[in-house]
Amino acid sequence: MADTTYSTPATAQSPSTAETQAAHTGTGSSGLDDLRVSPAAHLAGLMSEASAAGGRSVGLRELPFTVQIGLRAQPDSASWTSLEDTFGLSLPRTVGEVTGDPAAQHVLWLSPDEFLAVDVSRCQQPGETIVAEAGLEGLPGQAVDLSANRTILELTGKKAREVLEKSCRADLHPRAFGIGSAIVTALGPVPVILHHSGEDTYRVYPRASFADFTVRWLLDGMAEFLADGQMPEGEAEGAG
């Protein structure tokens, strides 16, 4: 599992990086929180430039430090019931199903007994699994904080699906991958979780170590839809 990266002086972040992360996490963080650097923070400027050039067609940003909790439980077991009570949500039962609110807390189906609880409305903090672990005490099951394992890249706009279709093996047509669906797939050579979270919004979950490659890969796929038809300056080195 990849660890969160740290940078010594908080001022080392570029303004665009700081603004992107502040918009997601809110203000008022202090101490070690100020030193947190998300896996794609160094590319925030490129993503912002590409999004501006993409207009309504396509945009890309990172949702940093999002709460992600891995859950394991057999369907309809005591562990299953305990996790549903803890999160206040039904656990998904079928391939591609997502329960909850995509703008806040929701749960993605990964396998018959494996799920990912996500909350995009707030920043991950220590102790996210304490309540779930207490509920599972003495029961077979698992609740593990995986927030540092993957980052979330949000691809938006009318051409978002076309960008993904260039290198995703899955059928992303709405008849097969409708709003509210999530699957485990690959984007080019990178294994990802893909969540169709809104009409023209897709969330891509690469592991933290693949964040740089995945961002550059998506930016390359976005290039033809940008106003000037060019990738942002400095993007050419990376995914190719």
Side-chain angles (χ1 to χ4, degrees):
M1 185 173 83
D3 295 326
T4 303
T5 2
Y6 292 93
S7 169
T8 34
T11 52
Q13 297 185 17
S14 66
S16 56
T17 297
E19 289 167 6
T20 300
Q21 297 190 356
H24 181 65
T25 61
T27 56
S29 61
S30 59
L32 290 177
D33 277 352
D34 292 335
L35 302 179
R36 298 176 82 176
V37 179
S38 64
H42 60 295
L43 298 174
L46 292 179
M47 287 188 280
S48 179
E49 289 175 33
S51 298
R56 294 183 179 181
S57 295
V58 67
L60 180 65
R61 65 170 180 159
E62 182 184 27
L63 303 181
F65 315 131
T66 300
V67 178
Q68 299 179 56
I69 301 175
L71 307 177
R72 298 296 296 262
Q74 289 294 324
D76 300 318
S77 65
S79 304
W80 176 285
T81 301
S82 175
L83 290 174
E84 287 189 326
D85 290 344
T86 297
F87 289 92
L89 293 172
S90 298
L91 296 182
R93 292 179 175 272
T94 59
V95 177
E97 185 181 359
V98 178
T99 58
D101 182 357
Q105 183 168 269
H106 50 286
V107 183
L108 284 61
W109 189 97
L110 300 183
S111 77
D113 67 346
E114 184 179 7
F115 317 91
L116 185 66
V118 180
D119 192 340
V120 298
S121 68
R122 61 187 182 85
C123 178
Q124 180 268 350
Q125 295 295 329
E128 294 286 353
T129 61
I130 290 176
V131 176
E133 288 174 346
L136 288 173
E137 187 172 359
L139 298 173
Q142 193 175 60
V144 180
D145 191 341
L146 300 177
S147 304
N149 190 32
R150 294 182 176 90
T151 193
I152 301 178
L153 304 173
E154 190 170 72
L155 187 69
T156 58
K158 296 178 180 179
K159 299 297 184 180
R161 177 161 65 96
E162 291 186 41
V163 171
L164 293 171
E165 286 176 332
K166 292 181 178 184
S167 57
C168 182
R169 300 175 179 87
D171 181 358
L172 302 184
H173 191 281
R175 65 172 172 259
F177 190 58
I179 299 171
S181 302
I183 55 173
V184 177
T185 183
L187 199 62
V190 180
V192 298
I193 298 171
L194 182 61
H195 179 196
H196 189 181
S197 58
E199 183 174 359
D200 293 319
T201 303
Y202 296 83
R203 291 176 183 156
V204 181
Y205 293 64
R207 295 195 183 276
S209 56
F210 287 110
D212 180 279
F213 182 94
T214 306
V215 169
R216 296 180 188 278
W217 185 274
L218 289 170
L219 288 174
D220 186 62
M222 291 165 57
E224 69 170 292
F225 304 117
L226 305 187
D228 57 3
Q230 299 293 325
M231 293 180 288
E233 185 179 350
E235 196 323 60
E237 303 175 4

